[in-house]
Amino acid sequence: YDALENYQSAITDFNKALSIEKTADSYNGIGITYTNLNNFNEAIKNFNLALTLDKNNIESYFNLGYAYGNLKKYQEALSNFNSAIKINSNHFNSLHGRAITLITLSRFNEALTDLNSLAKIKPEDLEIIGYRAMCYYETADYNNAIQDYSTLLISDPNNVSLLSNRAASYSFTNSYDKAIVDYTKILSIVKTGNSKYIIATTYYFRGKAYASKEDYKSSVNDFTECIKNKPDDNTAYFYRATSRMQLGDKTGACADYKDAIKLGFKSSFDYKQIVQSDPKYLDEYFEECK
């Protein structure tokens, strides 16, 4: 009945079974059915009843972790996943549940420990590799992130999100030519579509990659394309200004810099980072624009 999604009949039969004999399996089964109905509080009640009969019921601990996670009670979820893993250190579902919970809590380094254990159990599981790639990226382990993104792209070569994350990882490791290849592929995929945001963002980051390798003519072209698709992007105006200044186009650079300021560049993350790194940099770089 549960498999056929006839949940009320499943609950009726589980209750009949429990009236004959109270077993951990029946309480666990009725808890799973309530989980399928998104009635997580009732599910938790039954999983706990299962554990009163069998304190080593690993599936009940896992199911409790899953139910608490859905209620956003993450510490309770972790506690139950931990209990399951104490019983069996290689319990795949509990390791998976704990990893996802840790990711939700932005505890990426801890999640990586579980994800690497999961990868040993199922080395070709692309979902695990995807989560691990994200955690490597979030912990600035870009070389390992690149390796995982590359594995994922073998089976899904036109995945824009994967290409974008690998391109960013290449840029962070100063592999700008490889980043440019990925950004160029993204543009070939989305340019005929209607996603102006993705197009603008891709031109923006490819423009930064070109600027980093001192190809300022190409960076100016990309920032221009970014602005066409996102006219209010103050950072695109700013970086086009810096590239134009490098090309000796002081008039164009000053016009862009003033537009960037008008559009709110001084409130941007990039502005704050630049000022924090070198408070005098902008005044000196754009001294002729005053």
Side-chain angles (χ1 to χ4, degrees):
Y1 279 133
D2 187 77
L4 292 170
E5 300 183 6
N6 188 347
Y7 298 126
Q8 292 307 321
S9 293
I11 289 170
T12 298
D13 276 1
F14 278 126
N15 280 324
K16 285 181 180 179
L18 286 166
S19 71
I20 298 167
E21 181 184 3
K22 296 189 186 305
T23 66
D25 284 345
S26 290
Y27 279 122
N28 199 46
I30 200 170
I32 291 171
T33 304
Y34 278 120
T35 297
N36 290 332
L37 288 166
N38 294 322
N39 187 343
F40 299 111
N41 287 313
E42 195 65 29
I44 288 167
K45 173 184 172 182
N46 281 276
F47 294 139
N48 279 321
L49 286 169
L51 287 169
T52 63
L53 297 174
D54 180 4
K55 292 183 179 179
N56 291 316
N57 193 308
I58 192 169
E59 294 304 324
S60 292
Y61 283 120
F62 162 72
N63 290 326
L64 274 169
Y66 180 82
Y68 277 122
N70 276 278
L71 291 173
K72 297 184 179 180
K73 295 183 177 181
Y74 300 121
Q75 295 308 318
E76 291 90 337
L78 287 174
S79 177
N80 281 283
F81 289 136
N82 288 339
S83 294
I85 293 164
K86 283 180 182 177
I87 297 169
N88 179 0
S89 61
N90 289 320
H91 191 252
F92 186 89
N93 288 339
S94 296
L95 286 167
H96 186 281
R98 188 168 70 177
I100 301 306
T101 306
L102 290 168
I103 289 170
T104 303
L105 295 170
S106 299
R107 292 161 61 177
F108 301 110
N109 277 313
E110 294 171 78
L112 275 169
T113 299
D114 283 347
L115 291 168
N116 281 320
S117 295
L118 290 165
K120 290 178 182 177
I121 300 169
K122 293 185 179 180
E124 296 182 3
D125 189 316
L126 295 181
E127 181 191 30
I128 299 303
I129 295 171
Y131 282 125
R132 190 173 66 178
M134 180 185 69
C135 289
Y136 279 137
Y137 185 88
E138 292 292 339
T139 56
D141 187 350
Y142 299 116
N143 287 316
N144 275 320
I146 289 166
Q147 185 174 336
D148 277 352
Y149 286 130
S150 297
T151 298
L152 294 166
L153 283 162
I154 291 171
S155 60
D156 193 3
N158 292 324
N159 187 307
V160 169
S161 178
L162 295 175
L163 285 166
S164 180
N165 287 335
R166 188 174 70 173
S169 298
Y170 278 136
S171 288
F172 283 126
T173 57
N174 300 326
S175 300
Y176 301 114
D177 287 327
K178 291 180 179 179
I180 288 166
V181 170
D182 278 352
Y183 286 131
T184 301
K185 184 169 184 178
I186 292 171
L187 288 170
S188 72
I189 295 168
V190 302
K191 204 170 183 180
T192 57
N194 297 316
S195 182
K196 285 192 173 183
Y197 174 79
I198 294 175
I199 293 170
T201 301
T202 304
Y203 273 121
Y204 172 80
F205 284 114
R206 193 177 71 170
K208 290 191 75 174
Y210 275 128
S212 294
K213 63 193 295 284
E214 299 183 3
D215 183 351
Y216 297 113
K217 184 176 180 180
S218 294
S219 69
V220 166
N221 291 336
D222 274 4
F223 290 130
T224 299
E225 291 298 322
C226 171
I227 291 165
K228 284 181 183 178
N229 288 278
K230 193 180 177 187
D232 60 346
D233 192 325
N234 56 68
T235 54
Y237 276 104
F238 170 74
Y239 287 113
R240 188 172 69 174
T242 60
S243 292
R244 280 180 163 167
M245 193 68 79
Q246 289 291 332
L247 291 170
D249 179 9
K250 296 179 181 179
T251 301
C254 289
D256 277 348
Y257 183 62
K258 290 175 182 177
D259 283 338
I261 300 300
K262 287 178 184 177
L263 290 168
F265 177 65
K266 287 189 176 181
S267 298
S268 71
F269 174 80
D270 290 61
Y271 176 83
K272 293 173 184 176
Q273 288 291 102
I274 292 168
V275 171
Q276 185 177 358
S277 175
D278 185 353
K280 297 181 180 180
Y281 171 76
L282 292 175
D283 287 337
E284 292 175 354
Y285 199 84
F286 293 103
E287 183 179 3
E288 298 179 47
C289 301
K290 293 179 181 179

